[in-house]
Amino acid sequence: MSRLIVALDVATADEAAEVVDRLAPLGVWFKIGYEALFGYGDAIRAKVEALGVNVFLDAKLHDIPRTVEVAVRALVRPGIRIISVHALGGNDMLQSAVIAATERARELEIAPPEIFAVTLLTSIAPEDLRELGLLGGPGENVMRLAALARDARCAGVICSANEVRDLKAFFGSSFAALCPGIRPAGTAAGDQKRVATPRDAVEAGADYLVVGRPILEAADPLAATREILAEMEGAARVR
Ligand code: C5P
């Protein structure tokens, strides 16, 4: 079954704590990304750890292998289920992340977080690829970077829902897909370019859906979350 991860992209620790308190009873996971991590990382990590909720730590690490290794070691904590790195860091860097997560979790005697590799950011449009020097369209680039991630033993990749069918067909259902760029019908895309509705993402086979602004900026975030969960459940039944 697909899971919903709510991005804690809010300005203060108090606001993030309020989002967690309101939405955790619905069984959703939470994403700690740059805004939370760099703004008030210690406070929010202590909060989610105390509550025992599941967390995707969207660190998007991209550096030389040793630097990524020490960063991953520092990020492993109870409740951190997924940590992200950039596939463009290359095979050695990805492997270092996977090994560091496993070894640090063993030292702490906790379940190891899974390492997910960002393929192409969902804010990258097809026409942006050429200026980045990347050949082919989003689909080809995502598949190439996913192969790198799979070979380095990452648990899955981060991509747009539009690429999930091909990904699953090629790599199999156990190679996980985590999809941001989720936009319920009628919500603004903002800076996201490769977007999909919750229904489309679940029908395509996405394992995790990350949603930020459509929930955080809704008049009633609790109701918006419930609606997305209902749409996901409906789609799971027809899948
Ligand atoms: O507000 P919105 O729903 O667009 O938030 C999406 C979240 O997912 C943001 O926190 C963004 O950093 C993150 N993300 C993304 N694209 C990726 C990886 C992560 O949008 N490829």
Side-chain angles (χ1 to χ4, degrees):
M1 222 196 68
S2 316
R3 289 195 172 280
L4 176 61
I5 306 181
V6 177
L8 294 175
D9 295 338
V10 291
T12 66
D14 285 348
E15 283 172 76
E18 197 187 318
V19 174
V20 172
D21 285 335
R22 284 178 83 185
L23 303 184
L26 297 180
V28 300
W29 291 23
F30 294 96
K31 180 177 97 79
I32 297 179
Y34 283 3
E35 189 166 359
L37 197 59
F38 296 137
Y40 45 87
D42 287 344
I44 192 62
R45 282 187 294 171
K47 164 86 184 172
V48 292
E49 196 174 319
L51 280 182
V53 295
N54 292 306
V55 172
F56 160 35
L57 196 60
D58 193 15
K60 291 202 182 69
L61 299 171
H62 189 178
D63 211 314
I64 59 172
R66 184 194 167 275
T67 304
V68 167
E69 178 191 326
V70 291
V72 168
R73 284 184 64 83
L75 293 173
V76 173
R77 296 217 335 213
I80 306 292
R81 304 288 300 272
I82 297 174
I83 296 175
S84 62
V85 300
H86 271 286
L88 279 167
N91 185 275
D92 288 352
M93 190 210 79
L94 294 169
Q95 277 194 48
S96 296
V98 172
I99 293 168
T102 312
E103 289 183 349
R104 183 63 185 142
R106 195 179 305 132
E107 287 165 20
L108 297 174
E109 298 183 345
I110 60 173
E114 294 186 326
I115 300 295
F116 274 57
V118 177
T119 52
L120 283 186
L121 295 169
T122 37
S123 54
I124 301 274
E127 55 274 22
D128 298 330
L129 294 174
R130 208 167 326 129
E131 70 181 16
L132 291 174
L134 295 170
L135 300 174
E140 290 154 277
N141 280 281
V142 166
M143 294 295 271
R144 197 169 57 236
L145 292 164
L148 194 67
R150 194 267 324 264
D151 290 349
R153 299 191 187 285
C154 292
V157 288
I158 304 176
C159 60
S160 120
N162 307 329
E163 290 117 28
V164 171
R165 271 182 222 282
D166 286 349
L167 190 88
K168 294 282 182 177
F170 193 78
F171 295 102
S173 61
S174 64
F175 191 60
L178 186 155
C179 302
I182 302 297
R183 289 294 180 269
T187 58
D191 53 357
Q192 298 283 18
K193 300 283 166 44
R194 301 187 343 274
V195 297
T197 63
R199 166 173 299 281
D200 289 343
V202 170
E203 285 179 2
D207 300 278
Y208 300 94
L209 278 60
V210 173
V211 181
R213 286 162 289 183
I215 288 175
L216 303 171
E217 292 176 0
D220 183 345
L222 187 64
T225 309
R226 285 211 178 98
E227 268 171 42
I228 293 172
L229 286 169
E231 184 174 332
M232 289 170 65
E233 259 167 46
R237 259 182 252 127
V238 299
R239 180 142 56 109

